[in-house]
Amino acid sequence: MTTDIGPPDYKTMIPPVVQRNYGKWLFHEILKPGVLMHVGESGEALYTVRAGSPRLLSTETIRAICEIADTYCDGYLRFTSRHNIEFLVSDKDKLEPLLEELARRSYPVGGTGHSISNIVHTQGWVHCHTPATDASGPVKALMDEIHEYFVTMTLPAHVRIALACCLNMCGAVHCSDIAILGIHRTVPKPDNSRVPNLCEIPTTVASCPTGAIRGDMKNKTVTINNEKCMYCGNCYTVCPAMPIADPDNDGISIWVGGKVSNARSTPKFSKLAIPYLPNNPPRWPEVVDAVKNIIEVYAAGARKHERVGEWIERIGWERFFSLTGIPFTDKHIDDYEMATETFRSSMQFKWR
Amino acid sequence: MAKSETPLLDELEKGKWPSFVTEIKKAAEKSPMANDLLHQLELSYKDRIGHWKHGGIVGVKGYGSGVIGRYSDRPDLFPNVQAFHTIRVNHPSGWFYKTDALRSLCDIWDKHGSGLTNMHGSTGDAILLGTTTDHLQTCFDDLSEAGFDLGGSGSALRTPSCCVGPGRCEWACVDSLDLCHHLTMNFQDEIHRPMFPYKFKIKISACPNDCVASIARADFSVIGTWKGDIRIDPAEVEAYASSDLNIQREVCDLCPTRCMEWDGRQLKIFNEDCTRCMHCINLMPKALRPGEEQGATILVGGKAPIVEGALLSWVLVPFMKLEPPYEEIKDLILRIQDWWSENGRSRERLGELIKRLGMRTFLRALDLPATPQMVKAPRTNPYVFFWPEDIQQEVK
């Protein structure tokens, strides 16, 4: 039994053209949506073809991808930080045949420049125990509807979409242009017969951001102050005897305006746009429509290079709500620890 | 024709985007586990609720980390996913693969598991989705034989990840691929044997575009940067000027510090005012390049909301040179982990601990100087602590 060998050395996984030009790239160009050309100081070029992926892949599909990479890329490929597949082509003559083959096999090629690339997402009902929604389903439903934005570069700037199936926010939901987040709306129900055997009570009490949980030491269980609970589900994460999932009340919230890059403005968190939409499998039409609406209003109103968050900060939040037609509610007003920092302490606002 | 048993999921085989349902069905042709997964998922779509039981602690010998246990809450209906554990496999830096390595991963997984994967998990690992408890050790042994090791899970150092860096990007200011591999190898014990108050993530982006979202998704964020002047190629600037790029409007007017001047022929950058946001370089990659003195800014504390609210990492070390054998950064990581292990509460992320005890305490523990680069603005409240030695002692 060998342990602690770590991952394969990346040096054994990079194509010869990368080895030769490693750290000596001079510039790049986007030749067309999904196709990049990187040129080294040596004058040598590497062509990259980026293809969309459902992230959840069967070994059969991985083998098919390998076959393509063997034919056109001398057996080299990579995956991106948004789960796309990149075919690394060193022979320019193989570029068009590769694109034709991908088209034949219906792999979408795109995700470069001012496009909507893949959706960073999580496990959902496929594998997690704490989700308030599915991940793969809503992602598929949405990408089908906004496919055109993946294969073209017509937006003012790139738009990053992410989905997390619960408030743990695995992935990049808290810093994306548009984010889809699974939420609960009902208080968990402690099972007093199971809490004593399954849960560590102090950990459960400490898991609550609003201090809604108290230990009931006499009965070796916990009690929840329903008024203080905002259904985050973190107590269920640490204590299995406090189930929270509720098919009729779980659903999805939509967030906007986050970014991680430093270009122009500093990184930003996403902010609440829509507090609740229902889980409506298999195609989540309410969620798909809401996201499409935001994309379309943004695409029509934003200036070139302006990310969603930068556009909203320029026009103002009151205008974001009036332009998108999204109702503003009391749920949009922060009431957690630093809430007052988000209040408008000025006379500068628009009437709509 | 027989009526489909998965009418809801079948809907998701339509449309232009590649379908995860098709992927599960492909695997289901060979694997009874994948077949039961498909049918349990259909039930979830009907019930609008997950059907996995809470938690599950399983693993391989010698490690406390790397496997996520999972059990169906309907083993009566779906006996083949009664146990359906995930194995996290540490990916090569930058997710570069040679096809023979990927094929060996597929062979091992077809032998031991459901034939389903995620390429990749958000932290970076290759995710092998679904196997039984008795296959864990043998699967691990085969992986290890093929040169793969497990990634992190639990209260451990999680699998570090990085952007494509010098492998294929002219903006790379640090060798993100090499540093990622080096740190992963150096901290194998911390990855495989959970020993911290909570999880700890390292991500490395080679420039401020931050293509692995290090600032948002890592407790310890390494982001490449430079000192000195942006390199300008005047001939290429002219070429852009005669293209459809409007240099004044699209480049100069959007510069956050307005440190650029364009007179229609010549581009001037007042570098002392530049904050290296990357916008001008992003727009004119042929004409502008990062400066020659390169290194990284180290930021700490990034995390998702639970428990105390989401945090973006903030500046700890404004500039650090990063060259093999990377002693300075390894030493910094060790000192941070020591302080956190000593002071952190159970399930308290580094960012939350610094918030609770204060940056001044953290900086003193690390013996790092306070600098204005660490803050957006100095404090506005007057509730200032002083150290005892700052105070004039009573005269005897």
Side-chain angles (χ1 to χ4, degrees):
Chain A
M1 191 178 75
T2 322
T3 60
D4 301 273
I5 62 169
D9 190 335
Y10 67 96
K11 292 190 202 85
T12 64
M13 300 284 169
I14 53 181
V17 58
V18 167
Q19 285 176 22
R20 288 193 296 271
N21 295 279
Y22 194 87
K24 290 180 283 190
W25 299 102
L26 197 55
F27 68 90
H28 78 278
E29 275 177 35
I30 303 176
L31 300 180
K32 55 183 165 181
V35 183
L36 305 167
M37 175 183 70
H38 286 81
V39 177
E41 287 168 5
S42 65
E44 230 181 335
L46 167 67
Y47 301 87
T48 300
V49 175
R50 184 175 295 168
S53 156
R55 190 179 86 112
L56 195 165
L57 295 178
S58 64
T59 47
E60 194 185 320
T61 296
I62 297 174
R63 286 197 174 91
I65 294 164
C66 287
E67 202 179 291
I68 299 171
D70 283 343
T71 309
Y72 302 96
C73 314
D74 306 314
Y76 293 95
L77 71 151
R78 69 178 292 266
F79 293 84
T80 70
S81 58
R82 301 193 75 81
H83 319 305
N84 294 307
I85 303 155
E86 285 184 345
F87 296 96
L88 305 170
V89 185
S90 49
D91 179 356
K92 196 183 178 187
D93 293 339
K94 290 187 177 166
L95 186 57
E96 284 306 320
L98 168 62
L99 289 167
E100 284 160 21
E101 165 113 40
L102 292 171
R104 254 196 319 277
R105 296 189 185 223
S106 303
Y107 285 88
V109 170
T112 54
H114 291 176
S115 68
I116 298 182
S117 189
N118 213 337
I119 299 181
V120 168
H121 65 279
T122 54
Q123 295 295 12
W125 296 333
V126 171
H127 202 259
C128 194
H129 59 167
T130 69
T133 188
D134 188 37
S136 302
V139 164
K140 162 73 177 153
L142 182 56
M143 284 310 285
D144 277 344
E145 284 292 320
I146 60 174
H147 188 264
E148 205 47 34
Y149 294 115
F150 183 83
V151 297
T152 59
M153 306 192 293
T154 54
L155 289 163
H158 50 252
V159 174
R160 300 290 186 233
I161 306 182
L163 178 148
C165 38
C166 82
L167 261 68
N168 278 332
M169 290 199 188
C170 299
V173 156
H174 60 308
C175 288
S176 294
D177 293 276
I178 302 178
I180 302 166
L181 173 67
I183 56 155
H184 303 289
R185 296 188 302 157
T186 49
V187 178
K189 295 165 201 70
D191 178 345
N192 294 334
S193 66
R194 293 167 69 225
V195 171
N197 299 323
L198 290 173
C199 309
E200 202 182 62
I201 290 173
T203 312
T204 312
V205 170
S207 73
C208 181
T210 56
I213 303 175
R214 292 182 68 169
D216 174 357
M217 289 308 170
K218 211 173 85 190
N219 298 309
K220 296 197 171 104
T221 186
V222 293
T223 57
I224 301 183
N225 180 343
N226 290 358
E227 317 267 280
K228 287 169 97 176
C229 173
M230 43 59 186
Y231 343 106
C232 73
N234 196 38
C235 54
Y236 176 64
T237 300
V238 300
C239 169
M242 298 185 72
I244 185 169
D246 174 344
D248 297 322
N249 287 295
D250 291 351
I252 278 173
S253 56
I254 308 285
W255 301 68
V256 294
K259 73 190 269 279
V260 295
S261 91
N262 287 271
R264 300 169 308 284
S265 60
T266 55
K268 303 176 201 297
F269 285 125
S270 326
K271 294 160 184 88
L272 181 64
I274 303 175
Y276 175 77
L277 294 168
N279 272 329
N280 199 351
R283 287 224 162 246
W284 279 267
E286 296 85 353
V287 173
V288 170
D289 287 350
V291 172
K292 267 177 80 178
N293 173 46
I294 293 167
I295 296 167
E296 282 161 13
V297 175
Y298 156 76
R303 292 177 184 163
K304 207 169 175 186
H305 309 299
E306 211 167 42
R307 295 283 294 267
V308 171
E310 294 167 331
W311 163 64
I312 297 173
E313 280 173 13
R314 176 171 60 78
I315 63 172
W317 281 95
E318 64 277 41
R319 210 136 169 72
F320 167 79
F321 284 99
S322 67
L323 287 172
T324 55
I326 297 170
F328 187 83
T329 69
D330 54 2
K331 290 160 199 70
H332 289 90
I333 305 176
D334 193 359
D335 45 20
Y336 193 55
E337 282 173 349
M338 308 299 272
T340 51
E341 287 188 3
T342 63
F343 296 173
R344 194 190 299 261
S345 300
S346 88
M347 285 300 294
Q348 299 186 13
F349 55 84
K350 300 172 186 175
W351 292 115
R352 63 187 182 87
Chain B
M1 205 171 86
K3 201 173 152 227
S4 169
E5 290 168 355
T6 55
L8 294 170
L9 289 174
D10 292 351
E11 282 299 310
L12 292 175
E13 287 199 277
K14 300 170 186 167
K16 282 185 174 170
W17 189 250
S19 168
F20 72 101
V21 176
T22 306
E23 293 302 308
I24 300 176
K25 285 187 176 177
K26 274 187 199 170
E29 282 172 23
K30 287 184 288 185
S31 157
M33 297 185 86
N35 190 48
D36 272 9
L37 176 75
L38 181 73
H39 289 87
Q40 179 176 307
L41 189 60
E42 177 74 14
L43 183 65
S44 281
Y45 271 55
K46 189 163 157 270
D47 294 348
R48 288 174 293 141
I49 199 165
H51 279 294
W52 298 107
K53 271 189 205 167
H54 190 287
I57 297 171
V58 287
V60 300
K61 273 183 276 177
Y63 290 0
S65 169
V67 183
I68 316 299
R70 194 67 77 223
Y71 298 93
S72 172
D73 74 356
R74 295 306 304 271
D76 54 325
L77 297 176
F78 312 110
N80 295 304
V81 291
Q82 185 265 334
F84 196 71
H85 311 316
T86 286
I87 300 177
R88 291 185 180 158
V89 178
N90 199 329
H91 64 293
S93 278
W95 301 283
F96 279 99
Y97 288 99
K98 205 162 187 294
T99 49
D100 55 4
L102 271 180
R103 282 203 185 88
S104 72
L105 206 55
C106 291
D107 292 344
I108 293 166
W109 193 229
D110 282 339
K111 181 174 155 197
H112 293 288
S114 70
L116 288 169
T117 74
N118 288 152
M119 300 300 273
H120 291 80
S122 298
T123 297
D125 303 283
I127 305 290
L128 304 182
L129 202 60
T131 189
T132 54
T133 311
D134 57 344
H135 270 284
L136 292 174
Q137 189 64 43
T138 47
C139 184
F140 171 70
D141 293 342
D142 286 350
L143 285 168
S144 171
E145 183 82 8
F148 287 97
D149 201 346
L150 302 191
S153 68
S155 294
L157 175 63
R158 299 298 185 82
T159 304
S161 68
C162 65
C163 70
V164 71
R168 198 201 51 202
C169 184
E170 67 269 29
W171 301 326
C173 296
V174 296
D175 190 341
S176 51
L177 299 170
D178 192 56
L179 178 62
C180 181
H181 189 69
H182 190 100
L183 293 178
T184 305
M185 297 309 290
N186 189 73
F187 292 112
Q188 282 290 296
D189 195 23
E190 287 81 354
I191 291 173
H192 298 308
R193 296 164 198 93
M195 56 181 77
F196 297 139
Y198 204 11
K199 64 183 87 168
F200 190 89
K201 300 191 181 190
I202 299 175
K203 282 188 166 39
I204 304 152
S205 282
C207 88
N209 283 324
D210 200 359
C211 290
V212 283
S214 170
I215 203 165
R217 298 165 71 177
D219 300 86
F220 188 89
S221 315
V222 182
I223 303 181
T225 192
W226 67 91
K227 286 183 165 178
D229 294 355
I230 290 176
R231 288 172 281 172
I232 305 181
D233 182 336
E236 292 293 348
V237 174
E238 262 180 64
Y240 278 110
S242 52
S243 75
D244 56 2
L245 179 80
N246 185 326
I247 294 180
Q248 182 61 46
R249 282 189 60 171
E250 294 182 50
V251 182
C252 299
D253 291 356
L254 294 179
C255 168
T257 60
R258 300 288 189 274
C259 69
M260 306 181 83
E261 267 180 23
W262 170 244
D263 62 8
R265 283 172 304 136
Q266 208 192 358
L267 186 69
K268 264 194 224 154
I269 302 178
F270 299 92
N271 282 281
E272 65 278 18
D273 285 328
C274 168
T275 50
R276 304 168 311 287
C277 84
M278 292 297 295
H279 177 73
C280 59
I281 297 176
N282 289 346
L283 259 62
M284 303 197 288
K286 281 186 178 172
L288 303 178
R289 303 179 73 187
E292 274 174 332
E293 189 187 350
Q294 302 186 335
T297 299
I298 314 289
L299 307 91
V300 291
K303 62 179 278 293
I306 302 284
V307 177
E308 305 263 330
L311 297 171
L312 288 163
S313 290
W314 58 86
V315 174
L316 179 67
V317 180
F319 191 80
M320 188 186 279
K321 277 225 170 284
L322 290 173
E323 275 153 18
Y326 307 112
E327 288 305 333
E328 192 180 355
I329 193 165
K330 282 192 288 195
D331 176 65
L332 179 64
I333 293 169
L334 280 176
R335 282 187 290 148
I336 288 174
Q337 290 176 343
D338 273 352
W339 179 77
W340 175 50
S341 297
E342 190 73 25
N343 295 284
R345 291 174 179 157
S346 168
R347 294 175 66 84
E348 186 173 43
R349 292 285 282 269
L350 174 66
E352 291 172 333
L353 175 63
I354 299 172
K355 240 177 101 179
R356 179 162 63 83
L357 296 185
M359 270 294 273
R360 64 182 195 119
T361 311
F362 181 53
L363 291 176
R364 174 162 286 212
L366 296 179
D367 197 23
L368 286 174
T371 73
Q373 287 82 3
M374 291 172 182
V375 297
K376 280 182 211 149
R379 67 197 299 154
T380 57
N381 64 67
Y383 309 149
V384 182
F385 288 97
F386 286 87
W387 297 109
E389 65 270 23
D390 296 331
I391 306 306
Q392 195 176 343
Q393 298 303 308
E394 205 177 324
V395 184
K396 279 185 196 138

